[in-house]
Structures are given as structure tokens and as C-alpha cells.
């Protein structure tokens, strides 16, 4: 089967099958696994297209094949090709093509296949660590340790505080609050390089369909433009001397000093005093252990320092842009860390055990003639035509219990603006436990609630035990008149119920307050 035309036709068919599989995959799923499979299919499609373009460029072989087919008048060539075709199909009797087997292996879902060992065979699961949880969270523990160990750090933040520092990059450049002494060190450059590499790797693993390289190139071009305009705050280039070098050069010690304070401090050292005396005497200065005897050229040491600072600034800027694109993942990571901090050691172990357990395969669909299981339907659908209250097990309580405690009787309270209370009791009745837990009466309880007390105050009556079980306004007023005639005046003595306060903060009832005021004591 070495025909060029057949090879072209087969390539076109493979490309079309890849496109159909890709369309169906992206229209149904939006998971990390689906995106990785789609990226793999795109790569295979690109390889097929590249091979097909090479075949089309071989015009000589293609024209020869066409002339051989069109110019033959006898059937010898036809029968020879037919024999080769039969021999091929006898050797490979399976009709399935290689593309179909590739697609079957790519589109194989481990969650739907009970025979699939997820942790051992799924290459996508091996791309993420346990802390990343298949791309849901960031694993920044190593970067946090490196950040805490930077030289010159005044405070060593915890992991949650470190996540807050990264989240603060949404408004400004990352680590802008650090001093220049920290950001201009080699350790900081190593730390920011590791953080940038991890974020790029995480984005590539979680978003395989995005062109991360193009985004990095655009970000780099944006950084170069801002660096030339000195538009990056906190990353100003070090000031240069008249000869183009950075820092301060000590001719006696044959050494560069990056800061004026360091240079001034070394002037009183014994080493400098001795070297300066030799220099004044006209002798050769002492050999500099940190460098050569002669001053270094202006384009050697300064250029290395400027290159390192520019590299650190570039990595910081690119990392800031990456963190801004991962702000939702950072927030999810912080929430997950806070949740795990609130768990006990036993709960964490139980969570790890649950995550390690393989997921149960989904139930197989019932074949023709077999009855489907109805257990799930019975659990979801509860027969409750009488609208009975649900018990502790989620099922309706027995009807006799419903009638026994009067849960179907309406109790209307006119004082509470005709509010209706269903039943006099609220029950929790475990059917398989030998005791019954009875809460306070629902109707009786409302006499001490704010709704009923407000209605009694509106009628000008005290909400005392004498008016318990009274729900009608007429009955309440009649009972009040009866109590007044019987001599129970303490109920209606508003003077003793209303409290007043004097200028000094002393509290009296109305009667006492008025008596003291008349006597001039207040």
C-alpha cells in the first residue's frame, strides 16, 4: 500500500477524524483532562498536516503515479494492484484503522472505566502533586521557604501571609515593599526565577490549549518598553560614576563599594589605613584579595551588576503578570489552606484516606428486558399525600402520632395579628429508640415571644401569667376588668412599671420619682 494517492487520502481522512473528535470533546467537557487530550489531538493533527504537505510537495512522484494510472491500457497493472490489496487485507484482517485506535486510547475516561488504574496509568494525574489537587490549587511551600530565607528579611511571614503578599500583586509590582538591599541580591534573583518557572509550569499544565510562549513574548516586549522608559517603580538602575562605573572605587584597597555608607565605614579600618599609608609613601598598594591589582574596567563589573538587576526586574514583572492571571486560583488556594488549618489531625488523615480511595464505577445501563434498579428513585421520591411532618429519618411521622399531638389543629391568636400556629407540640421521635424527646409546646411557647408581648403592650396590658392561653382581644380586656375589680391593682399600676432616671443616673419608678421631685430631693 505504497501509493501516494492512497497515502494522501488516508491523511485527509485521519485529519477529518481528529477534527471531529476534537469538536465532540470540547463541546462536552471543560476539565483539565479534556484540555490535555485536546492538546494531544491538536499535536497529532499538526503532524498529519505537516506530513501531508511534504507529500504534496513531492510533485514528481505524484505526477508519475497519475500518469501510470491514466496511461495504462491493459489490465495487468490493475490485477497486480488488486493482488497486493488482497494480500494486505489478508495480513491485516481487522478493519479498524490506526487513527481510531489512537482516538480510543486518548478518549478513554478513567472515571467511566472500572478496569482503569487511575494513579498508575493516567499520565495527566502524574503531572500534578498532591497539594495541587489536579490543578485546583497552587503548591507554593518551597517558594515560601525560599522567600523567608532571603537575606535582610526583617519578618518571616507564614504561609497564609505569603499568599496575601502574592495576592497584593494585583495592584502593584510584586515584592515592591521589599528594600533594595533584599531585591538586589543574588538570592532574590534565584528565588524569583524559581517562582516564575513554577508559575509558567503550572499554567502550562492547567491550560494546555493556551499559547503561553506568545503571552510571555508579549509580556517581555512590554517590560522592555517600560524598562527603557524607567517606568518600573522600585527598580531604578544604580547610579554610575563619572567613568561609567557603579559604586565607589577605593584606590588604596583596590575595591568597589556599592554604597556610600559602606565606603565611609571602611575608611577607619586598619586595612584601609595601612593601604592608604603605603599609597602616600609611593609604594605599590597592597594586593586586593577580592580582585586584581589594577582597577577593573568600567564595562566589566558594572555591566554584570546591571545585567543581574535587569534580569531580576524582568522576572519580577513577568511573575506579576502571571499572578494576576491566576488570582482565582490563588484565592482558592488560600481558602483551602485556611480550611485545612481548621481541621484536626484525625480529620486530615480521614480526608487523605477518602482521597486515596478509588471512585466507585458508575452503574452499568440495564440491558433490554432487565428491570432497572428503583432504589434511588424510592429514596428520592417519598409518598406523603397528607403533608405530614418529617421525622428524624427524613420520612413522614405516623398519622396516629400526628393526630395524637394535634399537629393538624390550627390555633389562631388575635393578639398576634391573627397569626396561625399549627399544633401545640414540636416532636423529634426516633422510631427505633426507646425514648421520645418532646420540645416545648409550639403554641404555648409563643406567649413569651416578642410577637405576643408587642400585641399586649399595644392593648395597654401587661404580659403576665394571668393572660396565658388568652388569644382574643375581647377576652383579654374582659379579664383585665375582672382582675381590676378583684383588687389586683398591681397589674395596672403603671406608676410602678415605668422607670425614670435622674441626672446622676439613678433609676426610680414613676411614683417614687415624682414623690422625690416634689420634695425637692432630685
Amino acid at each position: 500500500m505504497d501509493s501516494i494517492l492512497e497515502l494522501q487520502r488516508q491523511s485527509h481522512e485521519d485529519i477529518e477524524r481528529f477534527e471531529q473528535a476534537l469538536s465532540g470533546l470540547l463541546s462536552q467537557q471543560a476539565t483539565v483532562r479534556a484540555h490535555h487530550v485536546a492538546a494531544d489531538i491538536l499535536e497529532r493533527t499538526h503532524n498529519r498536516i505537516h506530513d501531508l504537505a511534504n507529500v504534496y510537495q513531492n510533485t514528481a512522484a505524484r505526477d508519475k503515479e497519475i500518469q501510470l494510472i491514466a496511461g495504462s491500457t491493459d489490465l495487468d497493472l490493475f490485477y497486480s494492484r488488486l493482488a497486493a490489496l488482497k494480500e494486505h487485507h489478508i495480513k491485516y484482517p481487522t478493519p479498524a484503522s490506526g487513527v481510531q485506535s489512537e482516538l480510543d486510547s486518548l478518549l478513554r475516561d478513567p472515571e467511566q472505566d472500572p478496569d482503569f488504574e487511575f494513579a498508575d496509568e493516567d499520565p495527566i494525574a502524574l503531572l500534578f502533586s498532591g497539594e495541587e489537587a489536579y490543578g485546583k490549587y497552587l503548591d507554593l511551600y518551597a517558594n515560601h521557604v525560599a522567600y523567608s530565607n532571603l537575606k535582610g528579611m526583617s519578618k518571616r511571614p507564614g504561609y497564609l501571609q505569603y499568599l496575601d503578599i502574592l495576592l497584593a500583586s494585583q495592584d502593584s509590582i510584586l515584592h515592591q515593599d521589599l528594600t533594595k538591599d533584599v531585591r538586589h541580591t543574588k538570592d532574590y534573583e534565584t528565588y524569583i526565577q524559581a517562582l516564575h518557572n513554577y508559575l509558567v509550569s503550572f499554567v502550562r499544565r492547567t491550560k494546555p490549549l493556551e499559547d503561553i510562549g506568545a503571552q510571555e513574548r508579549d509580556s517581555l516586549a512590554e517590560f522592555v518598553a517600560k524598562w527603557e522608559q524607567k517606568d518600573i517603580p522600585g527598580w531604578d538602575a544604580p547610579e554610575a560614576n563619572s567613568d561609567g562605573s557603579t559604586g565607589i572605587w577605593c584606590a588604596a584597597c583596590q575595591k568597589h563599594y556599592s554604597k556610600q555608607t559602606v565606603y565611609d565605614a571602611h575608611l577607619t579600618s586598619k586595612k584601609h589605613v595601612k593601604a592608604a599609608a603605603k599609597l602616600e609613601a609611593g609604594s605599590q598598594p597592597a594586593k586586593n584579595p577580592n580582585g586584581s591589582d589594577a582597577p577593573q574596567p568600567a564595562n566589566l563589573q558594572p555591566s554584570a551588576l546591571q545585567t543581574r538587576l535587569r534580569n531580576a526586574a524582568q522576572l519580577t514583572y513577568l511573575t506579576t503578570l502571571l499572578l494576576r492571571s491566576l488570582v482565582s486560583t490563588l484565592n482558592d488556594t488560600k481558602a483551602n489552606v485556611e480550611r485545612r488549618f481548621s481541621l484536626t489531625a484525625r480529620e486530615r488523615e480521614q480526608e487523605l484516606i477518602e482521597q486515596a480511595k478509588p471512585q466507585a464505577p458508575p452503574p452499568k445501563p440495564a440491558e433490554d428486558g432487565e428491570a432497572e434498579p428503583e432504589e434511588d428513585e424510592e429514596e428520592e421520591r417519598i409518598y406523603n399525600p397528607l403533608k405530614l411532618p418529617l421525622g428524624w429519618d427524613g420520612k413522614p411521622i405516623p398519622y396516629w402520632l400526628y393526630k395524637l399531638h394535634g399537629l393538624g389543629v390550627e390555633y389562631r391568636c388575635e393578639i398576634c395579628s391573627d397569626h396561625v400556629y399549627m399544633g401545640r407540640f414540636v416532636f423529634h421521635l426516633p422510631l427505633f429508640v426507646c425514648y421520645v424527646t418532646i420540645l416545648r409546646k409550639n403554641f404555648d411557647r409563643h406567649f413569651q415571644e416578642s410577637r405576643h408581648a408587642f400585641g399586649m403592650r399595644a392593648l395597654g396590658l401587661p404580659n403576665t401569667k394571668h393572660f396565658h392561653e388568652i388569644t382574643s382581644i375581647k377576652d383579654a380586656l374582659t379579664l383585665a376588668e375582672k382582675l381590676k375589680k378583684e383588687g389586683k391593682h398591681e397589674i395596672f399600676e403603671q406608676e410602678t412599671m415605668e422607670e425614670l432616671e435622674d441626672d446622676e443616673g439613678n433609676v426610680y419608678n414613676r411614683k417614687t420619682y415624682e414623690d422625690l421631685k416634689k420634695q425637692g430631693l432630685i
Side-chain angles (χ1 to χ4, degrees):
M1 304 298 295
D2 54 352
S3 174
I4 295 180
L5 298 179
E6 176 63 21
L7 183 60
Q8 292 177 348
R9 186 205 64 78
Q10 185 66 38
S11 300
H12 281 289
E13 181 181 355
D14 295 348
I15 294 171
E16 185 175 355
R17 288 192 178 186
F18 281 136
E19 291 177 351
Q20 292 177 355
L22 183 62
S23 175
L25 178 64
L26 295 180
S27 61
Q28 295 177 1
Q29 302 179 12
T31 60
V32 176
R33 172 180 171 76
H35 290 170
H36 275 276
V37 174
D40 197 352
I41 293 177
L42 282 175
E43 183 179 0
R44 294 170 187 262
T45 304
H46 181 268
N47 294 335
R48 291 291 200 285
I49 294 175
H50 183 267
D51 296 340
L52 183 60
N54 293 335
V55 173
Y56 272 109
Q57 290 178 359
N58 190 4
T59 57
R62 188 169 182 271
D63 294 341
K64 181 180 179 181
E65 180 76 17
I66 294 175
Q67 292 177 2
L68 185 62
I69 296 176
S72 59
T73 56
D74 54 355
L75 299 178
D76 295 338
L77 181 60
F78 170 77
Y79 283 114
S80 62
R81 288 176 175 268
L82 180 60
L85 184 63
K86 289 182 179 181
E87 182 180 357
H88 174 78
H89 284 285
I90 291 174
K91 187 176 182 181
Y92 304 101
T94 56
S97 63
V99 175
Q100 190 62 36
S101 60
E102 290 182 24
L103 292 176
D104 292 341
S105 61
L106 288 175
L107 300 177
R108 187 182 184 185
D109 192 355
E111 297 180 358
Q112 303 295 333
D113 192 351
D115 299 332
F116 191 86
E117 294 293 338
F118 185 78
D120 297 336
E121 299 184 19
D122 188 12
I124 300 174
L126 300 177
L127 296 176
F128 301 96
S129 63
E131 187 68 25
E132 291 173 339
Y134 218 81
K136 294 181 181 179
Y137 312 114
L138 290 166
D139 187 3
L140 297 170
Y141 284 99
N143 305 104
H144 167 244
V145 173
Y147 176 80
S148 302
N149 293 330
L150 290 177
K151 294 181 179 178
M153 290 288 295
S154 58
K155 295 182 180 179
R156 300 183 184 276
Y159 189 62
L160 283 176
Q161 288 75 17
Y162 178 69
L163 294 179
D164 291 333
I165 292 174
L166 297 183
L167 285 171
S169 63
Q170 310 304 316
D171 303 326
S172 60
I173 301 297
L174 180 64
H175 298 322
Q176 192 175 358
D177 55 336
L178 295 179
T179 61
K180 291 185 178 181
D181 296 341
V182 178
R183 286 185 282 116
H184 291 182
T185 59
K186 183 65 176 179
D187 293 339
Y188 177 81
E189 182 184 6
T190 305
Y191 152 74
I192 199 66
Q193 178 72 54
L195 179 59
H196 176 264
N197 293 341
Y198 171 75
L199 293 178
V200 170
S201 172
F202 183 82
V203 173
R204 291 183 186 277
R205 287 178 287 137
T206 54
K207 302 176 181 179
L209 294 180
E210 295 186 5
D211 192 357
I212 308 300
Q215 297 178 6
E216 284 285 303
R217 289 190 293 271
D218 295 341
S219 302
L220 184 58
E222 182 179 352
F223 166 78
V224 171
K226 289 187 176 182
W227 179 262
E228 293 177 353
Q229 298 175 1
K230 297 183 179 180
D231 195 17
I232 300 180
W235 287 97
D236 299 332
E239 297 181 358
N241 297 327
S242 58
D243 58 350
S245 62
T246 58
I248 303 173
W249 171 259
C250 180
C253 299
Q254 297 288 304
K255 187 177 180 181
H256 270 288
Y257 292 92
S258 59
K259 293 184 178 181
Q260 181 68 34
T261 56
V262 180
Y263 175 79
D264 295 340
H266 104 284
L267 293 177
T268 57
S269 63
K270 295 181 179 180
K271 180 180 177 181
H272 175 77
V273 173
K274 186 177 180 180
K278 289 185 178 181
L279 185 63
E280 292 177 358
S283 59
Q284 293 293 332
K287 185 177 181 181
N288 183 16
N290 298 320
S292 60
D293 295 340
Q296 296 182 358
N299 58 353
L300 183 60
Q301 179 69 14
S303 63
L305 178 61
Q306 292 178 356
T307 301
R308 178 161 54 83
L309 295 182
R310 186 182 186 279
N311 187 30
Q314 174 182 324
L315 293 173
T316 303
Y317 186 81
L318 297 179
T319 305
T320 302
L321 298 182
L322 287 173
L323 289 173
R324 290 176 181 177
S325 64
L326 295 172
V327 59
S328 60
T329 308
L330 268 175
N331 288 324
D332 294 342
T333 303
K334 181 181 178 182
N336 182 56
V337 172
E338 292 176 345
R339 180 189 64 83
R340 293 182 61 184
F341 281 172
S342 64
L343 298 179
T344 61
R346 184 178 181 84
E347 290 174 342
R348 293 177 185 175
E349 293 178 359
Q350 187 66 26
E351 183 179 3
L352 293 176
I353 293 174
E354 293 294 335
Q355 293 177 357
K357 288 182 179 179
Q359 299 181 355
K364 296 182 179 180
E367 298 179 358
D368 297 340
E370 294 183 1
E372 296 183 357
E374 299 181 356
E375 295 180 359
D376 297 338
E377 296 182 0
E378 292 179 358
E379 293 179 358
E380 296 176 359
R381 189 180 305 171
I382 299 176
Y383 184 69
N384 189 13
L386 298 179
K387 307 297 182 182
L388 299 177
L390 301 181
W392 67 276
D393 56 352
K395 297 181 180 180
I397 64 174
Y399 185 69
W400 62 267
L401 186 64
Y402 177 79
K403 295 291 290 183
L404 175 63
H405 298 291
L407 297 179
V409 181
E410 294 184 358
Y411 294 90
R412 187 181 302 274
C413 182
E414 188 177 358
I415 299 176
C416 297
S417 301
D418 289 337
H419 188 77
V420 177
Y421 298 90
M422 298 295 298
R424 299 178 66 92
F425 301 92
V426 176
F427 283 91
H428 292 282
L429 181 64
L431 299 181
F432 303 101
V433 183
C434 61
Y435 63 91
V436 178
T437 304
I438 305 177
L439 299 181
R440 296 185 60 185
K441 299 179 180 180
N442 191 19
F443 175 69
D444 294 341
R445 184 178 56 187
H446 99 280
F447 290 105
Q448 285 76 37
E449 293 179 350
S450 60
R451 184 196 298 271
H452 190 82
F454 178 79
M456 293 295 290
R457 287 197 301 270
L459 296 176
L461 302 176
N463 189 21
T464 61
K465 62 180 181 179
H466 302 88
F467 296 92
H468 194 74
E469 298 283 347
I470 301 299
T471 59
S472 175
I473 297 177
K474 182 179 179 181
D475 295 343
L477 296 176
T478 303
L479 179 60
E481 293 293 334
K482 182 179 178 181
L483 293 175
K484 185 176 182 180
K485 291 178 181 179
E486 291 179 357
K488 297 184 178 180
H489 301 284
E490 68 276 3
I491 303 174
F492 305 99
E493 291 179 352
Q494 299 294 337
E495 295 85 358
T496 61
M497 297 177 60
E498 186 175 1
E499 295 181 345
L500 299 176
E501 184 179 355
D502 60 2
D503 296 337
E504 297 179 357
N506 300 319
V507 179
Y508 309 95
N509 55 42
R510 175 175 287 277
K511 183 178 179 180
T512 305
Y513 181 82
E514 291 179 353
D515 292 343
L516 295 175
K517 189 174 183 180
K518 290 178 181 179
Q519 296 176 10
L521 300 178
I522 299 180

